Amino acid sequence: MPDGGEDQFYGKNGEPRKYDANFKGPIQNRGCTDIVCCILFVIAILGYIAVGILAWSQGDPRKVIYPTDSRGQFCGQAGTPLANKPLLFYFNIMKCASPMVLLEFQCPTTQMCVEKCPEKFMTLVKAYTNNNDFAYYKNFCKEGVTNTMGIPQILSLGLCPAMLTPSRPFTRRCFPALGLKGGVVTVGNNSHFDDGSGNMRDAKDLMDGVKNATLVIEARQVVMKIFEDYTQSWYWILIGLVIAMLTSLLFIVLLRFLAGIMVWIMIVLVILVVGYGIFHCYMEYAALKGEAGANVTLQDLGFQTDFAVYLQIRQTWLAFMIILAIVEVIIILLLIFLRKRILIAIALIKEASRAVAHVMSSLFYPLFTFVLLAMVIAYWAVTAVFLSTSNEPIYKVFNETACDHSRTTCDPANYSTSIEKAQCPDSQCLFAFYGGETPYHKYLIGLQFYNVFLFFWCANFVTALGQMTLAGAFASYYWATVKPDDMPAFPVFSSLGRSLRYHTGTLAFGSLILSIVQIIRVLLEYLDHKLKGAQNKFTKFLLCCLKCCFWCLEKIIKFLNRNAYIMVAIYGKSFCTSARDAFLLLMRNMIRVAVLDKVTDFLLFLGKLLIVGLVGIFAFFFFSGRVKAFENTAPHLNYYWVPILTVVVGSYLIAHGFFSVYAMCVDTLFLCFCEDLERNDGSAAKPYYMSSTLREILWKKAAEDPSPSSARLQDDGDLKQRALEEEEAA
């Protein structure tokens, strides 16, 4: 390339690095960077700890686990008078049909904790005439009911329900034992019941109350079933995750010694695994042909809490088959178009394997990152639960007839002598929900937002710490003149120490920028969800554009941060300076970035996809009971997809952790290679630090890259080739 063109090229993309005889890799004598952001991060962490302590002192997770009676007490809570009464009983379940149930999450009827649900029909009038029946009936009455009290007095004071119906426990609540007999709704095998006032009612009148009450707690029911599935299958899930970890480790070890062969085996296996998925979906689709109800569409079926229902209709398997077929076609087309680039990327992976072999401890560093991330997630989750359960019990007036004080707050301690009770004799002061009016409760939403924001910031900080640590370790390998003699004894620990001692502020700065973008994306999703019913076309279009723009912005920031951390690990400069240097260096080598780096990422992604596919198929056949050999071994679950999905997601995270080492190694070697080209010329005075293999690989590619550094590399190669030819001729 002519000098004028080279000057013009560098003028646009910054000046290249100059030769420095004293540069021997990551600089040891460095100073602290981005100190202001470091101080801000420490203050934010201290505030986060204060929020956690405040939430733990105010919150009560029992509100999520145990049902609450009309006095705000927990049913079945150990160490309380209600420890032996785990079930919640409704005096009149039909009042749960009121729309107020959905607004206030509480039925306008007395609720009390009982030892077991009623098992037979009984009215207070009939039970009162028989001592044994009345003794049984009093199990479902408030304290203070005696045989000397009359029925009108008992009912006026609201001490007992007017009737009992056969009920079954459901999510720790007593609901009528409804059934269907000859197309008629029954309760306790009877289509009618006495409502306690002498009127016979249809059993279907109970359905509205049950429907609204179950709608309120449907989410809790699903969560409880999922939790139960986890308790039944947690050890099998752990075994699946261990298998994923061993498979990933084996793959990485084999990649070290057989990189070329393993990549091609990986490509073939990915195609076969996805192909098997298409075949399996087709077989399920064909097997459901002619089955009753199998032709129902997903739109007609709507949302179902039992996800197994979706696997019983043909359209679900058809959708799976189409999706997998599209994925298969995309992978095959990419492999065809990138076949030449794949050969170069495989060679780059081989070079990365040599680096990993000299820094073997880097393979286990993701475990450290995983532990830190688990601590961050656990702290966020616990704090969120305590914050959401730190409200106080709110009591409201519930009444049978018209009352001016209906739904107003009240105090159950002195309600019997209050004005509300005097003006509305049949009203009661019952527990409604958890809330509060104190300054703490008013700012709860702000504390929840702070909890979420600090979660993103801390999680991104941990990820950034891992990237900078690995970058420093692999940079030590690349810039070592004699490998491994010129490398630190413990490159990973040395790099980790430098990152924490000098660059905590830089890591916090990059993580803060990324966290702000992520929290904006969360707010956009929340806004989209809230305005879903009231959006016009322009609003939908605007929100869609905003979400797309911030998604792209997040990806760009992640890419820039990653390369900035590599430059910080090498030179020890501030975040902004390192981000600028990395960006200009990448711009000066744009062709290589697009060709080599991304193709390598694609191959590593196929490796993660293969591990997830193999472990996922094994988990599916095990937990679904499709294989008779595992039929008696596999646990009996409500939703067998719960452990399968957990194993699949966990396997991806584990595989991503191991392969992220290779990805970080490739990115670091790539940036170091670009720096090496600019610093040195391959002469005896300025020798390249890159290995002869890597130089040969990228020399072949230099002819396709118009950058000055590539031209110089190509010229160096041509000179050496001519020298060899002249020597042979002589």
Side-chain angles (χ1 to χ4, degrees):
M1 180 179 289
D3 293 340
E6 184 172 336
D7 293 339
Q8 184 179 4
F9 183 87
Y10 282 130
K12 292 180 180 179
N13 300 295
E15 292 299 323
R17 296 281 181 182
K18 303 299 183 182
Y19 173 74
D20 183 1
N22 296 322
F23 180 74
K24 301 296 182 182
I27 296 172
Q28 301 299 323
N29 297 324
R30 56 180 71 193
C32 296
T33 55
D34 300 299
I35 298 175
V36 174
C37 201
C38 178
I39 296 173
L40 180 63
F41 183 64
V42 171
I43 294 174
I45 292 295
L46 293 176
Y48 198 20
I49 295 173
V51 170
I53 294 173
L54 183 62
W56 298 339
S57 64
Q58 299 288 330
D60 191 350
R62 296 177 301 174
K63 298 171 186 176
V64 180
I65 302 172
Y66 300 100
T68 311
D69 67 6
S70 297
R71 293 181 291 179
Q73 297 175 313
F74 302 113
C75 300
Q77 172 64 29
T80 66
L82 300 178
N84 297 324
K85 296 181 178 181
L87 304 175
L88 186 68
F89 170 71
Y90 298 88
F91 270 29
N92 188 353
I93 190 66
M94 288 185 290
K95 291 191 177 178
C96 293
S98 168
M100 296 304 296
V101 174
L102 301 180
L103 298 176
E104 298 180 343
F105 299 97
Q106 194 75 2
C107 288
T109 184
T110 302
Q111 299 161 51
M112 61 178 294
C113 302
V114 295
E115 188 174 347
K116 59 181 181 179
C117 298
E119 300 171 347
K120 51 188 175 181
F121 279 112
M122 193 174 290
T123 63
L124 178 60
V125 175
K126 290 184 179 180
Y128 191 79
T129 60
N130 186 292
N131 289 334
N132 291 333
D133 289 344
F134 192 54
Y136 175 79
Y137 204 95
K138 284 192 291 186
N139 291 322
F140 305 97
C141 296
K142 294 181 180 179
E143 296 177 358
V145 178
T146 63
N147 294 349
T148 59
M149 300 176 67
I151 294 177
Q153 182 183 9
I154 295 174
L155 292 176
S156 63
L157 295 176
L159 298 176
C160 291
M163 63 170 181
L164 298 179
T165 58
S167 304
R168 288 193 295 261
F170 179 67
T171 64
R172 299 194 180 191
R173 290 161 175 80
C174 295
F175 289 120
L178 296 174
L180 199 63
K181 190 176 182 180
V184 178
V185 178
T186 62
V187 56
N189 293 324
N190 294 318
S191 59
H192 296 81
F193 66 95
D194 190 335
D195 64 0
S197 59
N199 299 321
M200 297 301 293
R201 304 281 294 271
D202 289 336
K204 65 180 181 180
D205 293 340
L206 295 168
M207 291 188 66
D208 289 336
V210 174
K211 181 180 179 181
N212 270 355
T214 54
L215 182 62
V216 170
I217 62 172
E218 190 174 77
R220 179 179 293 180
Q221 169 210 350
V222 174
V223 171
M224 292 300 291
K225 285 188 176 181
I226 291 175
F227 180 77
E228 183 181 347
D229 287 343
Y230 277 125
T231 59
Q232 295 290 329
S233 60
W234 65 269
Y235 45 91
W236 293 111
I237 292 175
L238 286 180
I239 292 175
L241 296 179
V242 169
I243 292 174
M245 185 177 68
L246 294 177
T247 305
S248 301
L249 188 59
L250 177 63
F251 197 92
I252 291 295
V253 172
L254 291 176
L255 202 62
R256 159 67 185 93
F257 298 102
L258 305 169
I261 297 174
M262 285 302 299
V263 169
W264 287 113
I265 291 176
M266 173 186 68
I267 291 173
V268 173
L269 286 179
V270 167
I271 295 175
L272 292 178
V273 168
V274 178
Y276 172 77
I278 298 172
F279 171 75
H280 182 83
C281 291
Y282 173 77
M283 295 302 295
E284 294 286 350
Y285 175 77
L288 290 173
K289 185 177 182 180
E291 294 288 334
N295 291 321
V296 176
T297 63
L298 292 171
Q299 185 176 2
D300 294 336
L301 185 62
F303 177 74
Q304 300 291 328
T305 56
D306 186 2
F307 292 96
V309 174
Y310 294 106
L311 301 180
Q312 298 173 11
I313 60 176
R314 302 186 77 201
Q315 197 176 74
T316 302
W317 293 106
L318 179 63
F320 287 160
M321 184 168 60
I322 293 173
I323 293 172
L324 289 176
I326 293 173
V327 171
E328 183 86 327
V329 171
I330 291 174
I331 291 175
I332 292 175
L333 289 178
L334 284 174
L335 291 173
I336 292 174
F337 287 113
L338 298 175
R339 60 188 184 278
K340 293 183 179 179
R341 309 290 186 266
I342 288 174
L343 295 174
I344 301 174
I346 289 175
L348 194 58
I349 291 176
K350 287 181 179 179
E351 186 66 22
S353 298
R354 296 188 185 94
V356 171
H358 286 92
V359 193
M360 285 299 292
S361 57
S362 62
L363 287 177
F364 302 98
Y365 185 84
L367 297 177
F368 177 68
T369 301
F370 175 77
V371 171
L372 291 180
L373 282 176
M375 292 170 61
V376 171
I377 294 172
Y379 186 88
W380 163 77
V382 172
T383 304
V385 170
F386 275 88
L387 282 174
S388 62
T389 59
S390 59
N391 292 310
E392 298 173 346
I394 300 298
Y395 299 88
K396 288 194 174 185
V397 176
F398 293 96
N399 57 289
E400 298 285 345
T401 58
C403 177
D404 294 337
H405 302 287
S406 179
R407 304 301 188 272
T408 60
T409 56
C410 57
D411 183 5
N414 56 6
Y415 186 73
S416 58
T417 59
S418 65
I419 299 175
E420 291 88 348
K421 183 66 175 178
Q423 295 180 358
C424 306
D426 64 339
S427 64
Q428 299 181 72
C429 184
L430 304 178
F431 168 77
F433 56 87
Y434 285 98
E437 298 296 330
T438 65
Y440 169 74
H441 296 104
K442 289 181 180 179
Y443 292 106
L444 264 180
I445 185 67
L447 295 177
Q448 285 282 25
F449 178 82
Y450 187 78
N451 183 37
V452 173
F453 180 73
L454 262 292
F455 164 71
F456 280 116
W457 197 358
C458 292
N460 289 326
F461 179 87
V462 171
T463 303
L465 177 62
Q467 292 175 348
M468 187 179 291
T469 300
L470 292 175
F474 291 125
S476 300
Y477 161 81
Y478 185 93
W479 296 108
T481 306
V482 180
K483 303 174 178 59
D485 296 341
D486 294 340
M487 293 173 58
F490 303 99
V492 173
F493 290 105
S494 300
S495 181
L496 177 62
R498 289 195 301 270
S499 301
L500 288 175
R501 181 179 177 183
Y502 298 108
H503 306 302
T504 298
T506 300
L507 294 170
F509 191 13
S511 305
L512 176 62
I513 297 173
L514 182 58
S515 301
I516 292 173
V517 175
Q518 289 175 334
I519 205 70
I520 292 175
R521 289 192 62 201
V522 171
L523 291 176
L524 287 174
E525 292 292 343
Y526 177 78
L527 187 63
D528 188 25
H529 175 73
K530 283 294 182 182
L531 300 178
K532 187 162 289 185
Q535 287 181 15
N536 55 35
K537 291 185 178 179
F538 177 75
T539 307
K540 289 181 179 179
F541 174 75
L542 182 61
L543 277 175
C544 184
C545 290
L546 286 173
K547 289 194 292 184
C548 180
C549 290
F550 277 95
W551 180 85
C552 294
L553 182 60
E554 181 183 351
K555 298 300 179 184
I556 293 172
I557 290 176
K558 282 184 175 180
F559 177 76
L560 291 177
N561 282 6
R562 185 183 182 92
N563 290 283
Y565 296 144
I566 295 174
M567 300 300 283
V568 173
I570 298 174
Y571 296 106
K573 295 183 179 180
S574 65
F575 176 82
C576 293
T577 303
S578 299
R580 182 199 63 194
D581 292 345
F583 177 75
L584 294 177
L585 180 61
L586 292 173
M587 289 298 294
R588 295 196 295 268
N589 296 271
M590 191 183 304
I591 301 298
R592 289 199 188 93
V593 174
V595 172
L596 298 181
D597 198 39
K598 296 306 149 191
V599 173
T600 307
D601 288 344
F602 172 67
L603 293 179
L604 295 178
F605 172 74
L606 288 184
K608 291 183 278 189
L609 201 64
L610 174 62
I611 292 171
V612 171
L614 292 175
V615 178
I617 290 173
F618 173 78
F620 173 76
F621 282 110
F622 180 80
F623 289 109
S624 64
R626 300 295 181 94
V627 180
K628 292 184 178 180
F630 300 141
E631 193 171 1
N632 297 325
T633 307
H636 299 285
L637 307 170
N638 297 304
Y639 308 125
Y640 68 80
W641 53 265
V642 170
I644 295 175
L645 190 62
T646 305
V647 169
V648 167
V649 173
S651 299
Y652 179 81
L653 293 176
I654 291 172
H656 177 74
F658 281 102
F659 279 90
S660 65
V661 175
Y662 260 81
M664 201 66 207
C665 182
V666 169
D667 289 347
T668 304
L669 294 181
F670 179 76
L671 276 185
C672 291
F673 164 77
C674 295
E675 288 260 336
D676 195 8
L677 279 182
E678 294 183 351
R679 284 182 174 277
N680 306 300
D681 57 11
S683 63
K686 301 177 183 178
Y688 287 127
Y689 281 85
M690 68 185 78
S691 65
S692 57
T693 307
L694 186 60
R695 183 165 63 250
E696 182 181 355
I697 297 164
L698 296 172
W699 175 33
K700 294 178 181 178
K701 193 64 192 160
E704 302 176 19
D705 188 348
S707 66
S709 58
S710 293
R712 186 170 68 251
L713 182 65
Q714 182 70 24
D715 292 340
D716 291 343
D718 293 340
L719 289 173
K720 292 176 182 178
Q721 183 66 28
R722 284 197 296 269
L724 289 174
E725 292 175 355
E726 291 173 0
E727 184 178 349
E728 290 176 359

